[in-house]
Amino acid sequence: MTSTNSHEDTSAASSPEPHTTCELVDRRYGTEFAGPLAEGTETIDLQLRHRSVRKFLPAEVTDAQLELIIAAAQSGSQSSNLQVWSVVAVRDQARKERISKALGGHPYIENCSVFLVWTADFNRNSRIVEAKHGTDVDSVGYLENTLVSFVDSGIAGQNALLAAESLGLGGVFVGSVRNNPLEVATELKLPEYVFPVVGLAIGVPDPTERASTKPRLPQRAVLHHEEYDAEAWESASAEYEEHLAEYYADYGRENYSWAFTLNRRIGSVEGMHGRHRIREWLAAQGFDSE
Ligand SMILES: Cc1cc2nc3c(=O)[nH]c(=O)nc-3n(C[C@H](O)[C@H](O)[C@H](O)COP(=O)(O)O)c2cc1C
């Protein structure tokens, strides 16, 4: 099914909430999109509407919804069809609170309906190989396999979040599970060869949350044709600073700087919140990452 991508839809233009694909694309970039756009679809509109949800109503994500979300997650592509991820669904309030505390305290973990912990999982496949072929697995420890399991977990997680959003739910990824992955592993009883990659807090969005669709970099910064343009970021990032600062100003946060945020996150090892020790933590779960 397609949806209109016309800039001329005046009824939508008078509304603060974008309705057409074109308006959704404009909002995604925080400015009118210059290039030609193909006809939109409901799927693309849903993707364009994405925002992280960190404030939830005290309402349940049902087991039936969860099972549909996981079916969507499992429908994602899988490297060599290895299916090297598992997900632990945490609903127990005390357990959510313990996990939150271990990660430094996050209300969105405590208040979500279900906290999904996506794990890289070579345990299942290793045991199958050992049981069926009687051989020890040799290659799990290589970095390539660590990357495979992390990439596939991310693909599955994004499919899950999009599925949840299509059901009227919302959520936020929680990379902080890697701030303290061994405590998360203990809490969830993760065996050898299973490592927490990312959390996903899901619930019914609280409409009072003050957030909207966060603008992204101008497309020319990320889309290169034929060859990588190493200068493309310069004017694009300057423009982006303005769009993102406007977005945050709308929510009362003045003088926001993306470059400042980048510096805080990648400018020094402190910005990694302890995750510079990830090789050691991976090894503790069997991922030697050689
Ligand atoms: C892998 C991953 C980990 C993330 N971890 C966190 C997190 O620990 N805490 C948080 O509040 N948001 C987290 N986020 C959400 C991002 O901050 C968010 O996606 C980004 O700021 C863009 O905003 P949007 O999702 O609303 O468009 C994470 C996102 C991803 C993809």
Side-chain angles (χ1 to χ4, degrees), residues 109-205:
I109 298 177
E110 291 155 35
N111 301 331
C112 70
S113 171
V114 57
F115 186 56
L116 300 174
V117 182
W118 299 90
T119 67
D121 183 358
F122 271 104
N123 181 278
R124 180 175 52 234
N125 290 4
S126 301
R127 294 180 66 185
I128 292 170
V129 169
E130 282 160 13
K132 298 282 178 192
H133 295 277
T135 51
D136 284 343
V137 288
D138 244 0
S139 80
V140 171
Y142 285 94
L143 182 57
E144 163 62 6
N145 277 331
T146 305
L147 294 179
V148 161
S149 56
F150 274 57
V151 168
D152 287 15
S153 298
I155 289 169
Q158 174 56 26
N159 255 15
L161 179 55
L162 193 64
E165 289 171 347
S166 77
L167 294 171
L169 303 170
V172 62
F173 281 106
V174 182
S176 322
V177 296
R178 297 189 312 281
N179 290 359
N180 196 349
L182 298 188
E183 197 158 332
V184 173
T186 303
E187 178 65 48
L188 303 181
K189 297 195 167 42
L190 303 184
E192 187 183 33
Y193 302 144
V194 184
F195 191 87
V197 174
V198 71
L200 179 59
I202 291 184
V204 177

Side-chain angles (χ1 to χ4, degrees), residues 59-80:
E60 282 301 297
V61 174
T62 65
D63 282 340
Q65 286 175 319
L66 177 62
E67 284 163 18
L68 193 54
I69 288 167
I70 299 303
Q74 288 187 275
S75 299
S77 298
Q78 316 270 338
S79 299
S80 309

Side-chain angles (χ1 to χ4, degrees), residues 4-20 22-23:
T4 173
N5 68 350
S6 163
H7 268 298
E8 321 320 326
D9 183 344
T10 48
S11 63
S14 60
S15 156
E17 180 62 24
H19 292 294
T20 68
C22 194
E23 289 163 354

